[in-house]
Amino acid sequence: MALKSVESQSPRAPVGSPDASERELLERIARSKDQVAFRTLYSSYYQRLSRLLARMSVRREDIEEVINDTFWVVWTKAGEFRGASQLSTWIIGIAYRRALNALRRAKIRPVSDEPFDEDSISVMSTDAAETDGQWLALGLSRLPVEQRMALELTYTLGHSCEEVAAILDCPVNTVKTRLFRARETLKLVLPDLAGMTGDKS
Amino acid sequence: MSSRIPDTHAEAWALLPWLANGRLPATDREWVEAHVAQCAECRGELDAQRRVATQINREKLPDPAGTEEQRSFNKLWARIEASESAAPSASIAAGGSVSRSSRTLRWLAAAVVVQGFGLALFGFNALRSNHSDGGFVTVADVPAQRLNAPALRLVFSPEASMASINTLLTHQGLSIVSGPGTSGNFTAELSAEAQASGASADSVAAVISKDPNVTFAQPVAR
């Protein structure tokens, strides 16, 4: 797999940052096939990738396959990582492309896109957070996978616009457009959200 | 990045998600914050996006427990070890010298016999099992879905003779149920007798991995 260069977009991580310590693990893997370093890196990404792949509608039983395919690449290509981008951008980008390719080839089955049952949202719930969460799930279910990914990468994993573009392998302006559309769709679904934005001039 | 100062509402609006998550570069943050300070619509949208971020982070998605992570890693590691153990035999086969070819042929002959035995058992097990999973699988994954007993994944030394493999398997109470995989790995199940005598996949793997006829032995996660 060709390694993606985002040299002009992402500065090197400062020494002592999470990325710097992850790079050190990768260097140990590349240099001496260090299993402890590999296990540590795997552990630090397992839940992040699980969540991201679930958001891509990859079935739970297939998530492990995509993660392991991703880390197979990390193990075999560790020495080819040039350090021009954040390590997380590289690893998450591999996982995203693996999952997307697999979904497109129907090698793995997406979670059913059955229409969300709006009646299942309890309007009588006294737990506002729970109700908001149900509405959010409804809103997210109506977004194309690329828009869901842009939201997840931005709001859950905290990536910059440039990093999201590198992971999703698209121009920065495309990321902005996807997020813009996702925001508009969510406003149609999330009543409180729509009410808070005020009138557009 | 240049220090241009865009004054369009639309540009600031597009960047609000990264103002909300704190990842807007300083050069952009300065003018976007200045715009937001004097634009009620953008302030409302920024507040709304912060709420979306909070909600998305609250949402419960499959959150694998540590045991699942360990099981997943074991499968990946078995795949890596099987692949790397098989690599030397592949290079030997490609070497072409008479003695190496002879050894390879002897190994292949043994593998065919073991495979025949394994396939018979495997076919029997496959007929008994409800094999309807349409998902994609890896080499390491195939046997684990059909196992009926504690099992090990094994790679034999290219130097191992058929007789020594048979002796080893019999002595440890192991029966080949599938293989060889594309990486030359076999899967062997532990007999009921061996289990009754206290043997486990872990204990047998620990013993058998020291045998010179075995280059790789690891319990199969079930």
Side-chain angles (χ1 to χ4, degrees), chain B residues 149-152 172-175 188-195 199-204:
Chain B
L152 284 80
Q172 296 295 336
L174 292 168
S175 301
E189 281 186 351
L190 205 54
S191 68
E193 293 76 15
Q195 292 177 61
S200 67
D202 284 316
S203 65
V204 173

PDB file of all heavy atoms in Angstrom, chain B residues 149-152 172-175 188-195 199-204:
ATOM      1  N   ALA B 149     -13.120 -28.337  20.058  1.00  0.00           N
ATOM      2  CA  ALA B 149     -12.302 -28.605  21.238  1.00  0.00           C
ATOM      3  C   ALA B 149     -11.182 -27.581  21.289  1.00  0.00           C
ATOM      4  O   ALA B 149     -10.926 -26.896  20.297  1.00  0.00           O
ATOM      5  CB  ALA B 149     -11.731 -30.028  21.136  1.00  0.00           C
ATOM      6  N   PRO B 150     -10.497 -27.490  22.433  1.00  0.00           N
ATOM      7  CA  PRO B 150      -9.329 -26.598  22.481  1.00  0.00           C
ATOM      8  C   PRO B 150      -8.356 -26.971  21.363  1.00  0.00           C
ATOM      9  O   PRO B 150      -8.165 -28.156  21.074  1.00  0.00           O
ATOM     10  CB  PRO B 150      -8.727 -26.887  23.856  1.00  0.00           C
ATOM     11  CG  PRO B 150      -9.874 -27.409  24.666  1.00  0.00           C
ATOM     12  CD  PRO B 150     -10.749 -28.157  23.713  1.00  0.00           C
ATOM     13  N   ALA B 151      -7.774 -25.972  20.752  1.00  0.00           N
ATOM     14  CA  ALA B 151      -6.964 -26.260  19.566  1.00  0.00           C
ATOM     15  C   ALA B 151      -5.708 -25.395  19.532  1.00  0.00           C
ATOM     16  O   ALA B 151      -5.609 -24.383  20.230  1.00  0.00           O
ATOM     17  CB  ALA B 151      -7.788 -26.024  18.309  1.00  0.00           C
ATOM     18  N   LEU B 152      -4.771 -25.836  18.706  1.00  0.00           N
ATOM     19  CA  LEU B 152      -3.520 -25.109  18.517  1.00  0.00           C
ATOM     20  C   LEU B 152      -3.311 -24.862  17.032  1.00  0.00           C
ATOM     21  O   LEU B 152      -3.753 -25.652  16.201  1.00  0.00           O
ATOM     22  CB  LEU B 152      -2.317 -25.925  19.007  1.00  0.00           C
ATOM     23  CG  LEU B 152      -2.067 -26.032  20.497  1.00  0.00           C
ATOM     24  CD1 LEU B 152      -2.998 -27.077  21.092  1.00  0.00           C
ATOM     25  CD2 LEU B 152      -0.622 -26.410  20.749  1.00  0.00           C
ATOM     26  N   GLN B 172       0.847 -36.024  22.192  1.00  0.00           N
ATOM     27  CA  GLN B 172       0.209 -34.863  22.821  1.00  0.00           C
ATOM     28  C   GLN B 172      -1.315 -34.920  22.753  1.00  0.00           C
ATOM     29  O   GLN B 172      -1.992 -34.013  23.228  1.00  0.00           O
ATOM     30  CB  GLN B 172       0.687 -33.564  22.147  1.00  0.00           C
ATOM     31  CG  GLN B 172       2.180 -33.299  22.311  1.00  0.00           C
ATOM     32  CD  GLN B 172       2.567 -33.057  23.767  1.00  0.00           C
ATOM     33  OE1 GLN B 172       1.740 -32.650  24.589  1.00  0.00           O
ATOM     34  NE2 GLN B 172       3.828 -33.336  24.095  1.00  0.00           N
ATOM     35  N   GLY B 173      -1.850 -35.959  22.125  1.00  0.00           N
ATOM     36  CA  GLY B 173      -3.309 -36.077  22.027  1.00  0.00           C
ATOM     37  C   GLY B 173      -3.901 -35.074  21.064  1.00  0.00           C
ATOM     38  O   GLY B 173      -4.991 -34.530  21.291  1.00  0.00           O
ATOM     39  N   LEU B 174      -3.193 -34.803  19.992  1.00  0.00           N
ATOM     40  CA  LEU B 174      -3.654 -33.811  19.015  1.00  0.00           C
ATOM     41  C   LEU B 174      -4.102 -34.480  17.718  1.00  0.00           C
ATOM     42  O   LEU B 174      -3.518 -35.489  17.300  1.00  0.00           O
ATOM     43  CB  LEU B 174      -2.533 -32.817  18.697  1.00  0.00           C
ATOM     44  CG  LEU B 174      -2.121 -31.870  19.824  1.00  0.00           C
ATOM     45  CD1 LEU B 174      -0.815 -31.165  19.467  1.00  0.00           C
ATOM     46  CD2 LEU B 174      -3.218 -30.837  20.086  1.00  0.00           C
ATOM     47  N   SER B 175      -5.129 -33.911  17.109  1.00  0.00           N
ATOM     48  CA  SER B 175      -5.588 -34.373  15.799  1.00  0.00           C
ATOM     49  C   SER B 175      -5.675 -33.177  14.861  1.00  0.00           C
ATOM     50  O   SER B 175      -6.305 -32.166  15.191  1.00  0.00           O
ATOM     51  CB  SER B 175      -6.984 -35.001  15.902  1.00  0.00           C
ATOM     52  OG  SER B 175      -6.965 -36.075  16.797  1.00  0.00           O
ATOM     53  N   ALA B 188      -4.795 -28.054  14.998  1.00  0.00           N
ATOM     54  CA  ALA B 188      -4.954 -29.371  15.626  1.00  0.00           C
ATOM     55  C   ALA B 188      -5.778 -29.233  16.893  1.00  0.00           C
ATOM     56  O   ALA B 188      -5.574 -28.297  17.672  1.00  0.00           O
ATOM     57  CB  ALA B 188      -3.585 -29.957  15.954  1.00  0.00           C
ATOM     58  N   GLU B 189      -6.722 -30.153  17.054  1.00  0.00           N
ATOM     59  CA  GLU B 189      -7.572 -30.138  18.253  1.00  0.00           C
ATOM     60  C   GLU B 189      -7.036 -31.104  19.297  1.00  0.00           C
ATOM     61  O   GLU B 189      -6.434 -32.124  18.960  1.00  0.00           O
ATOM     62  CB  GLU B 189      -9.003 -30.544  17.894  1.00  0.00           C
ATOM     63  CG  GLU B 189      -9.807 -29.430  17.257  1.00  0.00           C
ATOM     64  CD  GLU B 189     -11.278 -29.808  17.052  1.00  0.00           C
ATOM     65  OE1 GLU B 189     -11.633 -30.996  17.253  1.00  0.00           O
ATOM     66  OE2 GLU B 189     -12.043 -28.913  16.680  1.00  0.00           O
ATOM     67  N   LEU B 190      -7.329 -30.765  20.528  1.00  0.00           N
ATOM     68  CA  LEU B 190      -6.913 -31.593  21.663  1.00  0.00           C
ATOM     69  C   LEU B 190      -7.978 -32.661  21.900  1.00  0.00           C
ATOM     70  O   LEU B 190      -9.171 -32.369  21.961  1.00  0.00           O
ATOM     71  CB  LEU B 190      -6.783 -30.688  22.896  1.00  0.00           C
ATOM     72  CG  LEU B 190      -5.865 -31.094  24.021  1.00  0.00           C
ATOM     73  CD1 LEU B 190      -4.448 -31.375  23.530  1.00  0.00           C
ATOM     74  CD2 LEU B 190      -5.833 -29.977  25.064  1.00  0.00           C
ATOM     75  N   SER B 191      -7.536 -33.927  22.042  1.00  0.00           N
ATOM     76  CA  SER B 191      -8.499 -35.016  22.226  1.00  0.00           C
ATOM     77  C   SER B 191      -9.177 -34.915  23.596  1.00  0.00           C
ATOM     78  O   SER B 191      -8.650 -34.284  24.526  1.00  0.00           O
ATOM     79  CB  SER B 191      -7.787 -36.365  22.117  1.00  0.00           C
ATOM     80  OG  SER B 191      -6.922 -36.530  23.221  1.00  0.00           O
ATOM     81  N   ALA B 192     -10.323 -35.575  23.701  1.00  0.00           N
ATOM     82  CA  ALA B 192     -11.062 -35.585  24.969  1.00  0.00           C
ATOM     83  C   ALA B 192     -10.218 -36.237  26.057  1.00  0.00           C
ATOM     84  O   ALA B 192     -10.233 -35.811  27.222  1.00  0.00           O
ATOM     85  CB  ALA B 192     -12.379 -36.335  24.792  1.00  0.00           C
ATOM     86  N   GLU B 193      -9.451 -37.268  25.677  1.00  0.00           N
ATOM     87  CA  GLU B 193      -8.605 -37.970  26.658  1.00  0.00           C
ATOM     88  C   GLU B 193      -7.536 -37.029  27.212  1.00  0.00           C
ATOM     89  O   GLU B 193      -7.275 -37.012  28.419  1.00  0.00           O
ATOM     90  CB  GLU B 193      -7.927 -39.192  26.017  1.00  0.00           C
ATOM     91  CG  GLU B 193      -8.878 -40.314  25.628  1.00  0.00           C
ATOM     92  CD  GLU B 193      -9.659 -40.015  24.355  1.00  0.00           C
ATOM     93  OE1 GLU B 193      -9.275 -39.081  23.602  1.00  0.00           O
ATOM     94  OE2 GLU B 193     -10.680 -40.685  24.119  1.00  0.00           O
ATOM     95  N   ALA B 194      -6.926 -36.270  26.300  1.00  0.00           N
ATOM     96  CA  ALA B 194      -5.879 -35.337  26.749  1.00  0.00           C
ATOM     97  C   ALA B 194      -6.465 -34.284  27.672  1.00  0.00           C
ATOM     98  O   ALA B 194      -5.873 -33.932  28.696  1.00  0.00           O
ATOM     99  CB  ALA B 194      -5.223 -34.683  25.537  1.00  0.00           C
ATOM    100  N   GLN B 195      -7.674 -33.805  27.316  1.00  0.00           N
ATOM    101  CA  GLN B 195      -8.317 -32.808  28.177  1.00  0.00           C
ATOM    102  C   GLN B 195      -8.631 -33.395  29.547  1.00  0.00           C
ATOM    103  O   GLN B 195      -8.450 -32.731  30.572  1.00  0.00           O
ATOM    104  CB  GLN B 195      -9.612 -32.316  27.533  1.00  0.00           C
ATOM    105  CG  GLN B 195      -9.394 -31.501  26.270  1.00  0.00           C
ATOM    106  CD  GLN B 195     -10.735 -31.118  25.648  1.00  0.00           C
ATOM    107  OE1 GLN B 195     -11.535 -30.432  26.247  1.00  0.00           O
ATOM    108  NE2 GLN B 195     -10.970 -31.597  24.435  1.00  0.00           N
ATOM    109  N   ALA B 199      -4.681 -31.668  30.317  1.00  0.00           N
ATOM    110  CA  ALA B 199      -3.977 -30.866  29.310  1.00  0.00           C
ATOM    111  C   ALA B 199      -4.884 -29.746  28.798  1.00  0.00           C
ATOM    112  O   ALA B 199      -6.105 -29.912  28.714  1.00  0.00           O
ATOM    113  CB  ALA B 199      -3.532 -31.749  28.158  1.00  0.00           C
ATOM    114  N   SER B 200      -4.279 -28.629  28.464  1.00  0.00           N
ATOM    115  CA  SER B 200      -5.015 -27.520  27.861  1.00  0.00           C
ATOM    116  C   SER B 200      -4.255 -27.074  26.617  1.00  0.00           C
ATOM    117  O   SER B 200      -3.085 -27.462  26.420  1.00  0.00           O
ATOM    118  CB  SER B 200      -5.118 -26.354  28.840  1.00  0.00           C
ATOM    119  OG  SER B 200      -3.833 -25.811  29.061  1.00  0.00           O
ATOM    120  N   ALA B 201      -4.894 -26.247  25.815  1.00  0.00           N
ATOM    121  CA  ALA B 201      -4.213 -25.749  24.612  1.00  0.00           C
ATOM    122  C   ALA B 201      -2.959 -24.974  24.998  1.00  0.00           C
ATOM    123  O   ALA B 201      -1.909 -25.077  24.352  1.00  0.00           O
ATOM    124  CB  ALA B 201      -5.164 -24.865  23.805  1.00  0.00           C
ATOM    125  N   ASP B 202      -3.045 -24.226  26.103  1.00  0.00           N
ATOM    126  CA  ASP B 202      -1.880 -23.452  26.548  1.00  0.00           C
ATOM    127  C   ASP B 202      -0.729 -24.355  26.970  1.00  0.00           C
ATOM    128  O   ASP B 202       0.422 -24.135  26.602  1.00  0.00           O
ATOM    129  CB  ASP B 202      -2.276 -22.546  27.727  1.00  0.00           C
ATOM    130  CG  ASP B 202      -3.082 -21.335  27.267  1.00  0.00           C
ATOM    131  OD1 ASP B 202      -2.687 -20.729  26.257  1.00  0.00           O
ATOM    132  OD2 ASP B 202      -4.092 -21.021  27.900  1.00  0.00           O
ATOM    133  N   SER B 203      -1.059 -25.388  27.790  1.00  0.00           N
ATOM    134  CA  SER B 203       0.020 -26.240  28.301  1.00  0.00           C
ATOM    135  C   SER B 203       0.663 -27.036  27.174  1.00  0.00           C
ATOM    136  O   SER B 203       1.882 -27.201  27.133  1.00  0.00           O
ATOM    137  CB  SER B 203      -0.519 -27.168  29.400  1.00  0.00           C
ATOM    138  OG  SER B 203      -1.462 -28.083  28.853  1.00  0.00           O
ATOM    139  N   VAL B 204      -0.165 -27.527  26.244  1.00  0.00           N
ATOM    140  CA  VAL B 204       0.391 -28.298  25.136  1.00  0.00           C
ATOM    141  C   VAL B 204       1.226 -27.393  24.228  1.00  0.00           C
ATOM    142  O   VAL B 204       2.301 -27.779  23.760  1.00  0.00           O
ATOM    143  CB  VAL B 204      -0.735 -28.998  24.331  1.00  0.00           C
ATOM    144  CG1 VAL B 204      -0.179 -29.661  23.082  1.00  0.00           C
ATOM    145  CG2 VAL B 204      -1.425 -30.039  25.203  1.00  0.00           C
TER     146      VAL B 204
END
